Amino acid sequence: KAQVHPHFLFNTRNNIYSFSLQASPKTPAMVLKLSSLLGYMLYDCKADEVLLEKEIDVMKAYIELEKERYANRIDISLNIEGDIKDQFIAPLLLLPFLENAFKHGTSEQLEKPWLSMDLVVQGHTLRCKIANSKNEVVPVSPGGIGINNVKKRLAFLYAGKHELKLADEGAFFVVSLVIELVNYKSAAVVMQQAPAL
């Protein structure tokens, strides 16, 4: 987590910096969104797990920051289905994939760049698919700092309980992640009801 935080902040700060160079009146709102992201990382992310709802809210805020930066030059689709309440996930686990999608999906060489994110929760299974258009002749290296850190965290935190697939399809790149989540409220109730040994 200590490596993920500064990496994410560096990229987000650069987004706002480039926007401020244009002296845009939207810059204060972007700074406010960054402040909410900072609050999340400084306080919420101290825990080993956070509410999935909160993680999704942060991802939405990040998408809004990127929307402001790229205006109408990118088509963004966000779809969330299922019951996301009372579900917990390791913080900042999905954000690096979203960052990567923006990084490789907003190439000026593309006529109509696009990005889509589909997140579905069924029971305690989270399925997340993030796809983005890319320059077909430029391969995407799946070995960046952010992605490598997420792979390590997944292997450590969700050993045997996740499946990650990264695919460069030429004209687009796809990340598919399945995680078995734990409903900690239910787990806490079960522990309280268990007979003492």
Side-chain angles (χ1 to χ4, degrees), residues 164-177:
L164 174 64
K165 294 180 181 177
L166 307 176
D168 187 341
E169 302 293 346
F172 63 96
F173 189 82
V174 182
V175 173
S176 178
L177 177 62

Side-chain angles (χ1 to χ4, degrees), residues 1 40 43-55 86-93 153 156-158 180-185:
K1 283 197 297 183
Y40 177 73
Y43 302 109
D44 296 89
C45 290
K46 286 182 179 179
D48 291 333
E49 300 91 16
V50 296
L51 281 167
L52 178 59
E53 284 181 281
K54 188 78 171 179
E55 182 83 356
D86 298 332
Q87 302 281 6
F88 284 75
I89 190 171
L92 299 180
L93 201 61
R153 293 180 70 208
F156 179 72
L157 299 170
Y158 296 95
E180 292 301 318
L181 302 173
V182 177
N183 183 318
Y184 284 90
K185 284 191 176 180

Side-chain angles (χ1 to χ4, degrees), residues 4 89-94 96-97 126 146-166 175-181:
V4 172
I89 190 171
L92 299 180
L93 201 61
L94 304 176
F97 295 121
L126 167 70
I147 301 304
N148 278 335
N149 280 326
V150 174
K151 287 180 179 178
K152 291 175 184 177
R153 293 180 70 208
L154 283 168
F156 179 72
L157 299 170
Y158 296 95
K161 295 184 178 181
H162 79 279
E163 182 179 358
L164 174 64
K165 294 180 181 177
L166 307 176
V175 173
S176 178
L177 177 62
V178 179
I179 301 177
E180 292 301 318
L181 302 173

Side-chain angles (χ1 to χ4, degrees), residues 11-38 61-71:
N11 288 342
T12 307
R13 186 212 60 178
N14 282 350
N15 289 352
I16 294 178
Y17 173 71
S18 64
F19 217 80
S20 67
L21 289 177
Q22 304 168 21
S24 170
K26 294 182 179 181
T27 304
M30 295 180 72
V31 172
L32 194 60
K33 283 187 175 70
L34 177 59
S35 295
S36 70
L37 294 177
L38 283 170
Y62 183 78
I63 289 173
E64 288 301 316
L65 283 170
E66 292 286 4
K67 275 185 177 179
E68 293 291 355
R69 179 182 178 193
Y70 294 105

Side-chain angles (χ1 to χ4, degrees), residues 79-106:
N79 179 48
I80 298 171
E81 297 179 14
D83 186 7
I84 63 174
K85 294 183 182 299
D86 298 332
Q87 302 281 6
F88 284 75
I89 190 171
L92 299 180
L93 201 61
L94 304 176
L95 273 169
F97 295 121
L98 190 58
E99 282 184 276
N100 230 38
F102 274 106
K103 178 181 177 182
H104 297 291
T106 55

